[in-house]
Amino acid sequence: MNGKRSVWLISAFAAFTCLLLPIIASSQVDKTSTVRSQKTGLVIHPVSSSTSLISVDIAPSHALNKFSPNQMFGGSVDAIGIGGLNTLFSQSNVAKMLGSGIGNLTYRLYTELNVQDWHWNPTGTWSDATNNQGYFTGSAVLGTKITDSYGYLLPHRGSTHDQGDQLDWSRITDGDSTTYWKSNPYLSTAYTKEADALHPQWVLLNLGAAKSINAVRISWANPYAITYIVQYWTGSDAINNPSNGQWSNFATGLVTSGSGGTVTLKLSTTNTSARYVRILMTQSSGTYDSHGISDARNKMGFAIYEIGVGTVDSNGTFTDLVSHVKSQKQTEVKVSSTDPWHTSTSKNTSTEQVGLDFIYSNSLSQNLPMMVPVPMAYSTPENAVAEVAYLVTRGYPITGIELGEEPDGQLMSPEDYGAFYIQWANAIHAVYPTQKLGGPVLSGSVTLTWADAAGEKDWLKRFISYLNSHAALPSLSFVTTEHYPNYLVKADYKLLQKEPGNVKALFDEFTDALVPKGTAVYVTEYNIDSSPSVAAVDLLGALWQAVFVGEFVNRGGQGTYFYQNFPYPLLPSGSEWGLLGMFTADANAQASSTTSQYFSNLMISQLWCATGSGLHTAFPVTSNIKDSSGNTIVFPYALQRSDRLYSLLIVNADTADHGVSVSFTDTTSHVFKDIVTQTWLSPANYAWNPNGKSGYAMPSGPLNMMPLHGGTTTYNLPARSVTVLSGRIL
């Protein structure tokens, strides 16, 4: 255990306990009496013959998982607004975040979502040093510590929209004949060691609605496609529903001897109704782009100035249905990849990434190992190696290195991501063979994509298959995904019954995809929703977090990273206002109040678990509490903590209280002995009051805590509550 962390946590817990002393009962709860909390007025009702049983199987051979709380319950660091270092990382904010019990951190790579190259070190070298442009490699030489860092926009960008700040647009429909999209050279034969046809690059145009078309006009840049085919999507939504439909070839859409220039290609003799049109490119001309012959990467891949889609009449007159403008109002374009070539003048000055030295040196890191990223989709292997070298030279502890972020959200094919992964992994392991690498950092638990030639649509399965076919699976030390299972406007407590199935599906996906047995699983971002949500700040957010974490632990996961632990203001979500996080923020970005997930995170990491790095063991638990339809309404999760105490995390999703007795079984039967500590969060001590952007929690804690005698005591679980029971067993 890290000394500073353990001392701080002991002090914090002591202070926290002092806050609870006014509501801790001075004696055992008698089964025949009613005890009222002086602080909240919560009534604990006696329970009679209807008492239900929670049974814990503590046979060592039946253990489900072993983990360290410091590594299991982490927090996140993401991009921030310019100047946010001094406000978000104030001493007060950091103290409150640490007070929630977060462990190690994961560093999120927002530049990948912004379609930008991350200059993790502002100091570095350009491939075209004379003109400060080309491909950038951060310096591994130690110098002034890195406080902040930035992304750089890409002048050969292909996609109109992105998952980030939407600061840029596609060069393919911008109406400028001097700008062009170019695909990523690291997907070319020179780097993949495979034929370009095995990594076809594509451009997709979304016409917004089905249009009657029979022609495309392509203005090729260098390198152009010699072989390509034009296709249309047969389903309803090629982007958001890729498993429902297929790409069909236009009757005369195949070109096998392209020669560049501007081509108007008639696709069929009759018009076709289509919303999505794709140009699939499989053979490159290998001719140098506008940046010249000094860098071989300039001739790799494919490049296009502009594309039009529409009709051509019998006179050869082309009618274009595409909107060509330099904004996101242009006809939407999606591409398979984008060349990371850029210039020193394309810095994004509206968003910054926290500097690696800053975050490792900040008390929020607690000197714990961190899950760090390396840029991949819009960077180079050399830059990744330099970053790892910098971290290793500084002596910073690393949990693992994630390669890229959310490739599925960018419609990257699993084979293209696999080709990137192998190149980056080989480059890093050539210098640092013991570093643990992982991915693919999927934005969803189960991701589907356009079917391959064999009809396979499962993204992860194809990625694993690609690594396996290239003898590269040993380089995958862990797999990562994000977990945002719901898209909510209002709180819906029925989701609690669905969450065990969601977590099961996540792990089933890893099994079905043939992820090697024993590969560590991390969820490097999670919350109930992926956008500001009233459900997260409602009491539901706390109950959901407890169920997710308990299920994840029981299924053998090795790390969860809560998103977002920094304070932020409420934001609109439909007619409601909410956020993802533990704290609301005032006008100065300071934590102004705590939300339900602050309390659930604290209960999970500091009460269900013993604080620190000690090894905890999870055991199976059964409960016979069901509703009238046979649905589970009480969700228990059991541990033997590193301090040898046994503890139960119990979520009561029902609208009624439930009394339970607890037993532990190995070769014999056991019960809690001596003093058992019961702590709970319920509607009596937390309630969210919607009020637009001024919504607030009242009450907002503190937690209720009560010492009870062990033995055959009945423990009351308040309606819609999270409860922790901890003590020794007899």
Side-chain angles (χ1 to χ4, degrees), residues 631-665:
N631 298 310
T632 299
I633 51 177
V634 171
F635 304 86
Y637 307 97
L639 298 176
Q640 184 181 31
R641 306 185 340 179
S642 58
D643 59 7
R644 311 308 295 170
L645 269 63
Y646 285 84
S647 63
L648 286 164
L649 175 69
I650 310 171
V651 174
N652 178 12
D654 199 8
T655 55
D657 291 11
H658 284 277
V660 297
S661 61
V662 179
S663 69
F664 301 84
T665 306

PDB file of all heavy atoms in Angstrom, residues 631-665:
ATOM      1  N   ASN A 631     -38.796 -11.667 -10.951  1.00  0.00           N
ATOM      2  CA  ASN A 631     -37.612 -10.871 -11.269  1.00  0.00           C
ATOM      3  C   ASN A 631     -36.800 -10.586 -10.008  1.00  0.00           C
ATOM      4  O   ASN A 631     -37.362 -10.361  -8.931  1.00  0.00           O
ATOM      5  CB  ASN A 631     -38.013  -9.545 -11.903  1.00  0.00           C
ATOM      6  CG  ASN A 631     -38.753  -9.730 -13.202  1.00  0.00           C
ATOM      7  OD1 ASN A 631     -38.314 -10.450 -14.092  1.00  0.00           O
ATOM      8  ND2 ASN A 631     -39.910  -9.077 -13.316  1.00  0.00           N
ATOM      9  N   THR A 632     -35.487 -10.572 -10.163  1.00  0.00           N
ATOM     10  CA  THR A 632     -34.611 -10.234  -9.053  1.00  0.00           C
ATOM     11  C   THR A 632     -34.814  -8.777  -8.673  1.00  0.00           C
ATOM     12  O   THR A 632     -34.847  -7.891  -9.531  1.00  0.00           O
ATOM     13  CB  THR A 632     -33.136 -10.465  -9.435  1.00  0.00           C
ATOM     14  OG1 THR A 632     -32.956 -11.848  -9.752  1.00  0.00           O
ATOM     15  CG2 THR A 632     -32.204 -10.072  -8.303  1.00  0.00           C
ATOM     16  N   ILE A 633     -34.958  -8.513  -7.387  1.00  0.00           N
ATOM     17  CA  ILE A 633     -35.125  -7.136  -6.924  1.00  0.00           C
ATOM     18  C   ILE A 633     -34.102  -6.770  -5.850  1.00  0.00           C
ATOM     19  O   ILE A 633     -33.984  -5.603  -5.484  1.00  0.00           O
ATOM     20  CB  ILE A 633     -36.552  -6.874  -6.401  1.00  0.00           C
ATOM     21  CG1 ILE A 633     -36.965  -7.932  -5.384  1.00  0.00           C
ATOM     22  CG2 ILE A 633     -37.532  -6.806  -7.549  1.00  0.00           C
ATOM     23  CD1 ILE A 633     -38.337  -7.682  -4.772  1.00  0.00           C
ATOM     24  N   VAL A 634     -33.360  -7.755  -5.366  1.00  0.00           N
ATOM     25  CA  VAL A 634     -32.270  -7.496  -4.425  1.00  0.00           C
ATOM     26  C   VAL A 634     -31.009  -8.119  -5.001  1.00  0.00           C
ATOM     27  O   VAL A 634     -30.982  -9.311  -5.334  1.00  0.00           O
ATOM     28  CB  VAL A 634     -32.576  -8.068  -3.030  1.00  0.00           C
ATOM     29  CG1 VAL A 634     -31.340  -7.976  -2.133  1.00  0.00           C
ATOM     30  CG2 VAL A 634     -33.737  -7.310  -2.395  1.00  0.00           C
ATOM     31  N   PHE A 635     -29.963  -7.305  -5.125  1.00  0.00           N
ATOM     32  CA  PHE A 635     -28.722  -7.725  -5.779  1.00  0.00           C
ATOM     33  C   PHE A 635     -27.578  -7.662  -4.764  1.00  0.00           C
ATOM     34  O   PHE A 635     -27.122  -6.573  -4.415  1.00  0.00           O
ATOM     35  CB  PHE A 635     -28.407  -6.805  -6.961  1.00  0.00           C
ATOM     36  CG  PHE A 635     -29.516  -6.701  -7.976  1.00  0.00           C
ATOM     37  CD1 PHE A 635     -30.544  -5.777  -7.827  1.00  0.00           C
ATOM     38  CD2 PHE A 635     -29.536  -7.543  -9.087  1.00  0.00           C
ATOM     39  CE1 PHE A 635     -31.559  -5.674  -8.755  1.00  0.00           C
ATOM     40  CE2 PHE A 635     -30.554  -7.452 -10.025  1.00  0.00           C
ATOM     41  CZ  PHE A 635     -31.569  -6.523  -9.859  1.00  0.00           C
ATOM     42  N   PRO A 636     -27.110  -8.821  -4.261  1.00  0.00           N
ATOM     43  CA  PRO A 636     -26.029  -8.827  -3.272  1.00  0.00           C
ATOM     44  C   PRO A 636     -24.678  -9.232  -3.889  1.00  0.00           C
ATOM     45  O   PRO A 636     -24.618 -10.063  -4.805  1.00  0.00           O
ATOM     46  CB  PRO A 636     -26.501  -9.888  -2.289  1.00  0.00           C
ATOM     47  CG  PRO A 636     -27.253 -10.873  -3.142  1.00  0.00           C
ATOM     48  CD  PRO A 636     -27.792 -10.123  -4.341  1.00  0.00           C
ATOM     49  N   TYR A 637     -23.591  -8.661  -3.354  1.00  0.00           N
ATOM     50  CA  TYR A 637     -22.232  -8.963  -3.815  1.00  0.00           C
ATOM     51  C   TYR A 637     -21.338  -9.064  -2.588  1.00  0.00           C
ATOM     52  O   TYR A 637     -21.358  -8.182  -1.722  1.00  0.00           O
ATOM     53  CB  TYR A 637     -21.743  -7.878  -4.772  1.00  0.00           C
ATOM     54  CG  TYR A 637     -22.719  -7.647  -5.909  1.00  0.00           C
ATOM     55  CD1 TYR A 637     -23.657  -6.617  -5.845  1.00  0.00           C
ATOM     56  CD2 TYR A 637     -22.747  -8.513  -7.010  1.00  0.00           C
ATOM     57  CE1 TYR A 637     -24.592  -6.435  -6.861  1.00  0.00           C
ATOM     58  CE2 TYR A 637     -23.676  -8.339  -8.026  1.00  0.00           C
ATOM     59  CZ  TYR A 637     -24.598  -7.296  -7.944  1.00  0.00           C
ATOM     60  OH  TYR A 637     -25.520  -7.133  -8.940  1.00  0.00           O
ATOM     61  N   ALA A 638     -20.550 -10.143  -2.520  1.00  0.00           N
ATOM     62  CA  ALA A 638     -19.811 -10.459  -1.292  1.00  0.00           C
ATOM     63  C   ALA A 638     -18.307 -10.486  -1.519  1.00  0.00           C
ATOM     64  O   ALA A 638     -17.822 -10.949  -2.563  1.00  0.00           O
ATOM     65  CB  ALA A 638     -20.267 -11.807  -0.742  1.00  0.00           C
ATOM     66  N   LEU A 639     -17.583 -10.016  -0.505  1.00  0.00           N
ATOM     67  CA  LEU A 639     -16.120 -10.015  -0.524  1.00  0.00           C
ATOM     68  C   LEU A 639     -15.571 -10.507   0.804  1.00  0.00           C
ATOM     69  O   LEU A 639     -16.184 -10.297   1.862  1.00  0.00           O
ATOM     70  CB  LEU A 639     -15.571  -8.596  -0.731  1.00  0.00           C
ATOM     71  CG  LEU A 639     -15.888  -7.829  -1.999  1.00  0.00           C
ATOM     72  CD1 LEU A 639     -15.306  -6.415  -1.882  1.00  0.00           C
ATOM     73  CD2 LEU A 639     -15.321  -8.542  -3.220  1.00  0.00           C
ATOM     74  N   GLN A 640     -14.375 -11.100   0.733  1.00  0.00           N
ATOM     75  CA  GLN A 640     -13.508 -11.140   1.903  1.00  0.00           C
ATOM     76  C   GLN A 640     -12.445 -10.089   1.662  1.00  0.00           C
ATOM     77  O   GLN A 640     -11.717 -10.146   0.679  1.00  0.00           O
ATOM     78  CB  GLN A 640     -12.856 -12.503   2.120  1.00  0.00           C
ATOM     79  CG  GLN A 640     -12.034 -12.519   3.402  1.00  0.00           C
ATOM     80  CD  GLN A 640     -11.334 -13.846   3.653  1.00  0.00           C
ATOM     81  OE1 GLN A 640     -10.966 -14.545   2.701  1.00  0.00           O
ATOM     82  NE2 GLN A 640     -11.133 -14.189   4.910  1.00  0.00           N
ATOM     83  N   ARG A 641     -12.385  -9.111   2.531  1.00  0.00           N
ATOM     84  CA  ARG A 641     -11.495  -7.986   2.330  1.00  0.00           C
ATOM     85  C   ARG A 641     -10.076  -8.339   2.753  1.00  0.00           C
ATOM     86  O   ARG A 641      -9.817  -9.362   3.390  1.00  0.00           O
ATOM     87  CB  ARG A 641     -11.999  -6.772   3.130  1.00  0.00           C
ATOM     88  CG  ARG A 641     -13.422  -6.438   2.828  1.00  0.00           C
ATOM     89  CD  ARG A 641     -13.985  -5.203   3.476  1.00  0.00           C
ATOM     90  NE  ARG A 641     -13.315  -4.685   4.652  1.00  0.00           N
ATOM     91  CZ  ARG A 641     -13.701  -3.594   5.298  1.00  0.00           C
ATOM     92  NH1 ARG A 641     -14.769  -2.921   4.851  1.00  0.00           N
ATOM     93  NH2 ARG A 641     -13.072  -3.165   6.359  1.00  0.00           N
ATOM     94  N   SER A 642      -9.160  -7.461   2.422  1.00  0.00           N
ATOM     95  CA  SER A 642      -7.756  -7.676   2.775  1.00  0.00           C
ATOM     96  C   SER A 642      -7.541  -7.622   4.282  1.00  0.00           C
ATOM     97  O   SER A 642      -6.563  -8.180   4.789  1.00  0.00           O
ATOM     98  CB  SER A 642      -6.879  -6.621   2.097  1.00  0.00           C
ATOM     99  OG  SER A 642      -7.273  -5.312   2.470  1.00  0.00           O
ATOM    100  N   ASP A 643      -8.448  -6.966   5.021  1.00  0.00           N
ATOM    101  CA  ASP A 643      -8.334  -6.917   6.485  1.00  0.00           C
ATOM    102  C   ASP A 643      -9.045  -8.090   7.143  1.00  0.00           C
ATOM    103  O   ASP A 643      -9.257  -8.098   8.349  1.00  0.00           O
ATOM    104  CB  ASP A 643      -8.860  -5.587   7.024  1.00  0.00           C
ATOM    105  CG  ASP A 643     -10.325  -5.338   6.647  1.00  0.00           C
ATOM    106  OD1 ASP A 643     -10.968  -6.257   6.091  1.00  0.00           O
ATOM    107  OD2 ASP A 643     -10.820  -4.222   6.889  1.00  0.00           O
ATOM    108  N   ARG A 644      -9.445  -9.085   6.344  1.00  0.00           N
ATOM    109  CA  ARG A 644     -10.070 -10.337   6.757  1.00  0.00           C
ATOM    110  C   ARG A 644     -11.539 -10.191   7.123  1.00  0.00           C
ATOM    111  O   ARG A 644     -12.200 -11.173   7.478  1.00  0.00           O
ATOM    112  CB  ARG A 644      -9.330 -10.997   7.948  1.00  0.00           C
ATOM    113  CG  ARG A 644      -7.831 -11.103   7.781  1.00  0.00           C
ATOM    114  CD  ARG A 644      -7.433 -11.768   6.471  1.00  0.00           C
ATOM    115  NE  ARG A 644      -7.854 -13.170   6.400  1.00  0.00           N
ATOM    116  CZ  ARG A 644      -7.796 -13.904   5.299  1.00  0.00           C
ATOM    117  NH1 ARG A 644      -7.353 -13.382   4.160  1.00  0.00           N
ATOM    118  NH2 ARG A 644      -8.176 -15.169   5.328  1.00  0.00           N
ATOM    119  N   LEU A 645     -12.080  -8.971   7.093  1.00  0.00           N
ATOM    120  CA  LEU A 645     -13.517  -8.818   7.286  1.00  0.00           C
ATOM    121  C   LEU A 645     -14.261  -9.299   6.045  1.00  0.00           C
ATOM    122  O   LEU A 645     -13.722  -9.280   4.934  1.00  0.00           O
ATOM    123  CB  LEU A 645     -13.878  -7.349   7.546  1.00  0.00           C
ATOM    124  CG  LEU A 645     -13.920  -6.870   8.996  1.00  0.00           C
ATOM    125  CD1 LEU A 645     -12.557  -6.980   9.652  1.00  0.00           C
ATOM    126  CD2 LEU A 645     -14.437  -5.437   9.071  1.00  0.00           C
ATOM    127  N   TYR A 646     -15.496  -9.736   6.264  1.00  0.00           N
ATOM    128  CA  TYR A 646     -16.386 -10.064   5.156  1.00  0.00           C
ATOM    129  C   TYR A 646     -17.363  -8.901   4.980  1.00  0.00           C
ATOM    130  O   TYR A 646     -17.800  -8.288   5.962  1.00  0.00           O
ATOM    131  CB  TYR A 646     -17.146 -11.355   5.430  1.00  0.00           C
ATOM    132  CG  TYR A 646     -16.280 -12.586   5.261  1.00  0.00           C
ATOM    133  CD1 TYR A 646     -15.462 -13.020   6.299  1.00  0.00           C
ATOM    134  CD2 TYR A 646     -16.272 -13.298   4.065  1.00  0.00           C
ATOM    135  CE1 TYR A 646     -14.644 -14.140   6.148  1.00  0.00           C
ATOM    136  CE2 TYR A 646     -15.467 -14.428   3.907  1.00  0.00           C
ATOM    137  CZ  TYR A 646     -14.652 -14.832   4.956  1.00  0.00           C
ATOM    138  OH  TYR A 646     -13.839 -15.936   4.800  1.00  0.00           O
ATOM    139  N   SER A 647     -17.676  -8.599   3.741  1.00  0.00           N
ATOM    140  CA  SER A 647     -18.579  -7.480   3.500  1.00  0.00           C
ATOM    141  C   SER A 647     -19.531  -7.804   2.359  1.00  0.00           C
ATOM    142  O   SER A 647     -19.193  -8.538   1.432  1.00  0.00           O
ATOM    143  CB  SER A 647     -17.794  -6.203   3.191  1.00  0.00           C
ATOM    144  OG  SER A 647     -17.035  -6.354   2.010  1.00  0.00           O
ATOM    145  N   LEU A 648     -20.715  -7.227   2.450  1.00  0.00           N
ATOM    146  CA  LEU A 648     -21.742  -7.398   1.439  1.00  0.00           C
ATOM    147  C   LEU A 648     -22.166  -6.031   0.917  1.00  0.00           C
ATOM    148  O   LEU A 648     -22.425  -5.105   1.705  1.00  0.00           O
ATOM    149  CB  LEU A 648     -22.969  -8.098   2.019  1.00  0.00           C
ATOM    150  CG  LEU A 648     -22.844  -9.594   2.290  1.00  0.00           C
ATOM    151  CD1 LEU A 648     -23.947 -10.068   3.204  1.00  0.00           C
ATOM    152  CD2 LEU A 648     -22.885 -10.361   0.981  1.00  0.00           C
ATOM    153  N   LEU A 649     -22.198  -5.899  -0.392  1.00  0.00           N
ATOM    154  CA  LEU A 649     -22.770  -4.745  -1.072  1.00  0.00           C
ATOM    155  C   LEU A 649     -24.129  -5.193  -1.588  1.00  0.00           C
ATOM    156  O   LEU A 649     -24.209  -6.140  -2.387  1.00  0.00           O
ATOM    157  CB  LEU A 649     -21.868  -4.304  -2.220  1.00  0.00           C
ATOM    158  CG  LEU A 649     -22.368  -3.183  -3.129  1.00  0.00           C
ATOM    159  CD1 LEU A 649     -22.398  -1.856  -2.385  1.00  0.00           C
ATOM    160  CD2 LEU A 649     -21.485  -3.075  -4.375  1.00  0.00           C
ATOM    161  N   ILE A 650     -25.208  -4.546  -1.127  1.00  0.00           N
ATOM    162  CA  ILE A 650     -26.550  -5.026  -1.447  1.00  0.00           C
ATOM    163  C   ILE A 650     -27.376  -3.877  -2.015  1.00  0.00           C
ATOM    164  O   ILE A 650     -27.487  -2.813  -1.398  1.00  0.00           O
ATOM    165  CB  ILE A 650     -27.261  -5.603  -0.208  1.00  0.00           C
ATOM    166  CG1 ILE A 650     -26.362  -6.612   0.511  1.00  0.00           C
ATOM    167  CG2 ILE A 650     -28.577  -6.256  -0.613  1.00  0.00           C
ATOM    168  CD1 ILE A 650     -26.914  -7.063   1.850  1.00  0.00           C
ATOM    169  N   VAL A 651     -27.963  -4.104  -3.175  1.00  0.00           N
ATOM    170  CA  VAL A 651     -28.854  -3.133  -3.791  1.00  0.00           C
ATOM    171  C   VAL A 651     -30.280  -3.660  -3.699  1.00  0.00           C
ATOM    172  O   VAL A 651     -30.573  -4.763  -4.175  1.00  0.00           O
ATOM    173  CB  VAL A 651     -28.478  -2.878  -5.261  1.00  0.00           C
ATOM    174  CG1 VAL A 651     -29.513  -1.982  -5.932  1.00  0.00           C
ATOM    175  CG2 VAL A 651     -27.094  -2.254  -5.357  1.00  0.00           C
ATOM    176  N   ASN A 652     -31.146  -2.888  -3.073  1.00  0.00           N
ATOM    177  CA  ASN A 652     -32.572  -3.207  -3.044  1.00  0.00           C
ATOM    178  C   ASN A 652     -33.260  -2.310  -4.063  1.00  0.00           C
ATOM    179  O   ASN A 652     -33.411  -1.107  -3.861  1.00  0.00           O
ATOM    180  CB  ASN A 652     -33.157  -2.974  -1.647  1.00  0.00           C
ATOM    181  CG  ASN A 652     -34.658  -3.253  -1.596  1.00  0.00           C
ATOM    182  OD1 ASN A 652     -35.220  -3.822  -2.537  1.00  0.00           O
ATOM    183  ND2 ASN A 652     -35.296  -2.846  -0.512  1.00  0.00           N
ATOM    184  N   ALA A 653     -33.661  -2.885  -5.186  1.00  0.00           N
ATOM    185  CA  ALA A 653     -34.303  -2.128  -6.259  1.00  0.00           C
ATOM    186  C   ALA A 653     -35.803  -1.994  -6.062  1.00  0.00           C
ATOM    187  O   ALA A 653     -36.468  -1.308  -6.844  1.00  0.00           O
ATOM    188  CB  ALA A 653     -34.014  -2.803  -7.602  1.00  0.00           C
ATOM    189  N   ASP A 654     -36.338  -2.639  -5.033  1.00  0.00           N
ATOM    190  CA  ASP A 654     -37.782  -2.663  -4.826  1.00  0.00           C
ATOM    191  C   ASP A 654     -38.264  -1.346  -4.199  1.00  0.00           C
ATOM    192  O   ASP A 654     -37.491  -0.583  -3.622  1.00  0.00           O
ATOM    193  CB  ASP A 654     -38.137  -3.835  -3.907  1.00  0.00           C
ATOM    194  CG  ASP A 654     -39.603  -4.226  -3.994  1.00  0.00           C
ATOM    195  OD1 ASP A 654     -40.308  -3.693  -4.867  1.00  0.00           O
ATOM    196  OD2 ASP A 654     -40.039  -5.068  -3.183  1.00  0.00           O
ATOM    197  N   THR A 655     -39.553  -1.106  -4.299  1.00  0.00           N
ATOM    198  CA  THR A 655     -40.155   0.077  -3.681  1.00  0.00           C
ATOM    199  C   THR A 655     -40.539  -0.191  -2.231  1.00  0.00           C
ATOM    200  O   THR A 655     -41.108   0.682  -1.573  1.00  0.00           O
ATOM    201  CB  THR A 655     -41.399   0.512  -4.465  1.00  0.00           C
ATOM    202  OG1 THR A 655     -42.309  -0.595  -4.568  1.00  0.00           O
ATOM    203  CG2 THR A 655     -41.015   0.997  -5.859  1.00  0.00           C
ATOM    204  N   ALA A 656     -40.231  -1.389  -1.732  1.00  0.00           N
ATOM    205  CA  ALA A 656     -40.525  -1.748  -0.344  1.00  0.00           C
ATOM    206  C   ALA A 656     -39.250  -2.170   0.367  1.00  0.00           C
ATOM    207  O   ALA A 656     -38.288  -2.637  -0.257  1.00  0.00           O
ATOM    208  CB  ALA A 656     -41.550  -2.884  -0.296  1.00  0.00           C
ATOM    209  N   ASP A 657     -39.241  -2.003   1.708  1.00  0.00           N
ATOM    210  CA  ASP A 657     -38.132  -2.507   2.509  1.00  0.00           C
ATOM    211  C   ASP A 657     -38.118  -4.031   2.459  1.00  0.00           C
ATOM    212  O   ASP A 657     -39.157  -4.675   2.234  1.00  0.00           O
ATOM    213  CB  ASP A 657     -38.291  -2.081   3.970  1.00  0.00           C
ATOM    214  CG  ASP A 657     -38.117  -0.594   4.186  1.00  0.00           C
ATOM    215  OD1 ASP A 657     -38.085   0.150   3.183  1.00  0.00           O
ATOM    216  OD2 ASP A 657     -38.013  -0.179   5.347  1.00  0.00           O
ATOM    217  N   HIS A 658     -36.947  -4.599   2.692  1.00  0.00           N
ATOM    218  CA  HIS A 658     -36.836  -6.056   2.812  1.00  0.00           C
ATOM    219  C   HIS A 658     -35.909  -6.379   3.969  1.00  0.00           C
ATOM    220  O   HIS A 658     -34.835  -5.780   4.108  1.00  0.00           O
ATOM    221  CB  HIS A 658     -36.292  -6.686   1.528  1.00  0.00           C
ATOM    222  CG  HIS A 658     -37.297  -6.754   0.427  1.00  0.00           C
ATOM    223  ND1 HIS A 658     -38.230  -7.756   0.326  1.00  0.00           N
ATOM    224  CD2 HIS A 658     -37.544  -5.906  -0.612  1.00  0.00           C
ATOM    225  CE1 HIS A 658     -38.999  -7.542  -0.735  1.00  0.00           C
ATOM    226  NE2 HIS A 658     -38.605  -6.421  -1.323  1.00  0.00           N
ATOM    227  N   GLY A 659     -36.332  -7.337   4.802  1.00  0.00           N
ATOM    228  CA  GLY A 659     -35.485  -7.837   5.864  1.00  0.00           C
ATOM    229  C   GLY A 659     -34.753  -9.077   5.396  1.00  0.00           C
ATOM    230  O   GLY A 659     -35.339  -9.951   4.748  1.00  0.00           O
ATOM    231  N   VAL A 660     -33.462  -9.160   5.730  1.00  0.00           N
ATOM    232  CA  VAL A 660     -32.680 -10.312   5.285  1.00  0.00           C
ATOM    233  C   VAL A 660     -31.827 -10.832   6.430  1.00  0.00           C
ATOM    234  O   VAL A 660     -31.379 -10.070   7.289  1.00  0.00           O
ATOM    235  CB  VAL A 660     -31.764  -9.966   4.094  1.00  0.00           C
ATOM    236  CG1 VAL A 660     -32.563  -9.559   2.876  1.00  0.00           C
ATOM    237  CG2 VAL A 660     -30.762  -8.889   4.465  1.00  0.00           C
ATOM    238  N   SER A 661     -31.627 -12.125   6.422  1.00  0.00           N
ATOM    239  CA  SER A 661     -30.602 -12.735   7.257  1.00  0.00           C
ATOM    240  C   SER A 661     -29.470 -13.164   6.347  1.00  0.00           C
ATOM    241  O   SER A 661     -29.675 -13.380   5.146  1.00  0.00           O
ATOM    242  CB  SER A 661     -31.169 -13.932   8.028  1.00  0.00           C
ATOM    243  OG  SER A 661     -31.639 -14.918   7.120  1.00  0.00           O
ATOM    244  N   VAL A 662     -28.275 -13.260   6.895  1.00  0.00           N
ATOM    245  CA  VAL A 662     -27.088 -13.524   6.092  1.00  0.00           C
ATOM    246  C   VAL A 662     -26.361 -14.737   6.647  1.00  0.00           C
ATOM    247  O   VAL A 662     -26.118 -14.835   7.867  1.00  0.00           O
ATOM    248  CB  VAL A 662     -26.132 -12.316   6.088  1.00  0.00           C
ATOM    249  CG1 VAL A 662     -24.882 -12.620   5.272  1.00  0.00           C
ATOM    250  CG2 VAL A 662     -26.839 -11.077   5.542  1.00  0.00           C
ATOM    251  N   SER A 663     -26.016 -15.655   5.765  1.00  0.00           N
ATOM    252  CA  SER A 663     -25.220 -16.818   6.172  1.00  0.00           C
ATOM    253  C   SER A 663     -24.042 -16.983   5.228  1.00  0.00           C
ATOM    254  O   SER A 663     -24.079 -16.552   4.073  1.00  0.00           O
ATOM    255  CB  SER A 663     -26.080 -18.091   6.169  1.00  0.00           C
ATOM    256  OG  SER A 663     -26.421 -18.459   4.841  1.00  0.00           O
ATOM    257  N   PHE A 664     -22.984 -17.608   5.758  1.00  0.00           N
ATOM    258  CA  PHE A 664     -21.770 -17.894   4.992  1.00  0.00           C
ATOM    259  C   PHE A 664     -21.502 -19.388   5.095  1.00  0.00           C
ATOM    260  O   PHE A 664     -21.602 -19.981   6.185  1.00  0.00           O
ATOM    261  CB  PHE A 664     -20.579 -17.121   5.567  1.00  0.00           C
ATOM    262  CG  PHE A 664     -20.762 -15.628   5.586  1.00  0.00           C
ATOM    263  CD1 PHE A 664     -21.444 -15.010   6.624  1.00  0.00           C
ATOM    264  CD2 PHE A 664     -20.249 -14.845   4.562  1.00  0.00           C
ATOM    265  CE1 PHE A 664     -21.618 -13.631   6.652  1.00  0.00           C
ATOM    266  CE2 PHE A 664     -20.416 -13.469   4.572  1.00  0.00           C
ATOM    267  CZ  PHE A 664     -21.103 -12.860   5.618  1.00  0.00           C
ATOM    268  N   THR A 665     -21.157 -19.988   3.968  1.00  0.00           N
ATOM    269  CA  THR A 665     -20.990 -21.439   3.960  1.00  0.00           C
ATOM    270  C   THR A 665     -19.716 -21.828   3.239  1.00  0.00           C
ATOM    271  O   THR A 665     -19.444 -21.346   2.132  1.00  0.00           O
ATOM    272  CB  THR A 665     -22.182 -22.129   3.263  1.00  0.00           C
ATOM    273  OG1 THR A 665     -23.391 -21.692   3.874  1.00  0.00           O
ATOM    274  CG2 THR A 665     -22.061 -23.642   3.354  1.00  0.00           C
TER     275      THR A 665
END
